[in-house]
C-alpha cells in the first residue's frame, strides 16, 4: 500500500519571479508512480517556467521539488549538488524538448545519439550499445538502416522520435515533456501522440507534459493543471476538467478549442 501512496515527486510552494513579473507562484502537487500530469495554459501562463524549475533547468526562488530517489526518502532536488542533478538527469529523469535539435547532437549519428545516453550510465560494449540503439530506433518507428545517418537528414517528426528514443533508452522513471508535438504537421502529431501513449503505458512512465494543445493532454494525461499568470487556477482528472471546467479561464480555453 505504501508503494502506491508514496509520491514519486512532491512539489511544494514552488515560485519563480523575474523582477516584478511572476513566472510561477505557490505551486503544489504530487505526482505518483505511473501517472501523467498535463500542464496547460496560453503562452506566458507560466507552464514552461514551472517545468524548467521542476526539471532543474531553473532554480526556483522558493519551494521544494522532492523526488523519491529510491533510497527510502524524498530528496529536495533544488538543494542537490550540481553533479547530483546531472546524475539524476542521466538516469531517473529525462527531458523531451519541443525542438528536437535542442535535445539531440545533430553532428552525431542516430545510433550515436541513443548510444551516448547508454554510455553516460556506464555501458561500454560497442556491440551491445549498437544493438540497443537499433532496437530503440525500431520502437520509435525509425528504420534500422538509418542507424548511421545523422539527424540533419531526418524530418522534424523523425528527429522528435529520435529524441524520444535517446531519452527513454535508459528506462527513466520520470519524463518531462515541453510541447512534444509543437511545430509538427497535424498528421505527424497524431502519429507521435500514438507512439508516446504506447510507450508511456508500456514502460509505466511517470510524466509531466506542458502543452497549449488540449487534445494532447486529453490523450496522454491522467490529471490536468491549468495555469494563468503564473498561478494554478484549476486542477483535477483530465476528462473532468475538460468536460466540466469550473474556472472561467479553463472554460475559455475549452470553448476556444470547440469553436475552431
Amino acid at each position: 500500500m505504501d508503494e502506491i501512496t508514496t509520491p514519486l515527486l512532491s512539489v511544494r510552494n514552488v515560485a519563480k519571479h523575474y523582477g516584478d513579473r511572476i513566472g510561477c507562484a505557490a505551486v503544489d502537487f504530487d505526482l505518483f508512480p505511473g501517472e501523467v500530469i498535463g500542464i496547460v495554459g496560453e503562452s506566458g501562463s507560466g507552464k514552461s517556467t514551472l517545468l524548467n524549475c521542476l526539471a532543474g533547468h531553473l532554480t526556483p526562488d522558493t519551494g521544494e521539488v522532492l523526488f523519491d530517489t529510491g533510497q527510502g526518502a524524498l530528496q529536495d532536488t533544488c538543494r542537490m549538488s550540481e553533479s547530483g542533478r546531472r546524475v539524476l538527469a542521466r538516469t531517473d529523469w529525462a527531458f523531451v524538448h519541443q525542438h528536437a535539435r535542442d535535445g539531440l547532437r545533430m553532428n552525431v549519428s542516430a545510433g550515436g545519439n541513443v548510444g551516448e545516453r547508454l554510455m553516460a550510465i556506464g555501458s561500454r560494449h560497442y556491440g551491445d550499445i549498437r544493438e540497443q540503439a537499433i532496437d530503440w530506433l525500431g520502437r520509435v518507428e525509425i528504420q534500422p538502416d538509418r542507424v548511421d545517418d545523422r539527424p540533419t537528414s531526418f524530418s522534424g517528426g523523425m528527429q522528435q522520435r529520435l529524441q524520444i528514443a535517446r531519452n527513454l533508452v535508459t528506462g527513466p522513471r520520470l519524463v518531462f515533456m515541453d510541447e512534444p508535438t509543437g511545430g509538427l504537421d497535424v498528421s505527424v502529431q497524431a502519429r507521435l501522440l500514438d507512439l508516446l501513449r504506447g510507450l508511456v503505458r508500456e514502460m509505466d512512465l511517470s510524466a509531466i507534459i506542458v502543452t497549449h494543445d488540449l487534445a494532447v493532454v486529453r490523450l496522454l494525461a491522467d490529471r490536468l493543471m491549468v495555469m494563468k499568470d503564473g498561478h494554478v487556477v484549476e486542477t483535477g482528472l483530465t476528462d473532468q476538467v475538460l468536460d466540466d471546467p469550473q474556472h472561467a479561464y479553463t472554460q475559455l480555453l475549452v470553448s476556444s478549442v470547440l469553436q475552431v
Side-chain angles (χ1 to χ4, degrees):
M1 185 67 178
D2 288 343
E3 186 178 349
I4 296 175
T5 56
T6 301
L8 181 66
L9 192 76
S10 285
V11 178
R12 295 289 174 262
N13 197 36
V14 165
K16 179 72 176 177
H17 293 78
Y18 301 96
D20 294 334
R21 187 172 70 84
I22 298 173
C24 59
V27 178
D28 286 274
F29 69 91
D30 289 330
L31 175 73
F32 292 89
E35 185 179 33
V36 178
I37 287 181
I39 306 174
V40 299
E42 295 174 305
S43 178
S45 63
K47 58 188 187 298
S48 290
T49 295
L50 175 59
L51 187 74
N52 281 296
C53 286
L54 302 181
H57 299 167
L58 289 174
T59 302
D61 298 327
T62 62
E64 298 176 316
V65 179
L66 304 167
F67 180 69
D68 181 0
T69 58
Q71 299 171 351
L74 295 173
Q75 187 171 1
D76 186 2
T77 62
C78 299
R79 288 162 180 78
M80 267 186 180
S81 66
E82 187 61 36
S83 60
R85 271 196 299 270
R86 282 199 299 269
V87 170
L88 200 57
R90 289 197 301 264
T91 55
D92 280 342
W93 286 8
F95 195 101
V96 176
H97 296 266
Q98 175 180 358
H99 303 293
R101 288 172 175 267
D102 295 332
L104 295 172
R105 290 186 59 191
M106 302 303 287
N107 62 340
V108 173
S109 70
N113 265 281
V114 179
E116 275 188 341
R117 179 96 175 178
L118 291 168
M119 292 176 68
I121 62 168
S123 295
R124 291 293 179 266
H125 189 282
Y126 174 79
D128 290 344
I129 292 171
R130 186 174 176 86
E131 185 177 332
Q132 286 190 67
I134 290 173
D135 175 63
W136 262 97
L137 291 182
R139 291 175 73 172
V140 297
E141 301 174 357
I142 296 175
Q143 293 299 316
D145 61 7
R146 303 297 303 270
V147 65
D148 295 316
D149 293 352
R150 294 187 179 186
T152 48
S153 69
F154 289 0
S155 67
M158 285 179 68
Q159 288 178 0
Q160 192 64 300
R161 297 201 305 273
L162 177 60
Q163 187 192 183
I164 290 166
R166 176 183 170 95
N167 274 283
L168 298 189
V169 66
T170 53
R173 292 191 292 150
L174 174 57
V175 183
F176 302 97
M177 300 185 192
D178 187 6
E179 300 277 8
T181 62
L184 299 176
D185 292 340
V186 173
S187 61
V188 178
Q189 284 185 16
R191 186 175 173 187
L192 184 62
L193 280 172
D194 281 341
L195 175 68
L196 278 172
R197 181 171 60 173
L199 289 171
V200 164
R201 299 307 177 216
E202 175 191 335
M203 299 179 69
D204 197 28
L205 288 172
S206 298
I208 300 175
I209 301 173
V210 157
T211 182
H212 67 279
D213 190 338
L214 299 186
V216 171
V217 290
R218 172 83 79 176
L219 192 66
L220 294 178
D222 303 302
R223 281 194 293 138
L224 188 58
M225 292 167 48
V226 182
M227 292 191 70
K228 181 180 188 296
D229 299 330
H231 297 271
V232 176
V233 296
E234 186 164 355
T235 184
L237 297 175
T238 300
D239 287 343
Q240 186 179 51
V241 172
L242 295 181
D243 293 340
D244 187 22
Q246 300 299 304
H247 194 278
Y249 177 69
T250 312
Q251 293 170 359
L252 183 64
L253 286 180
V254 172
S255 65
S256 67
V257 172
L258 295 176
Q259 291 167 13
V260 173

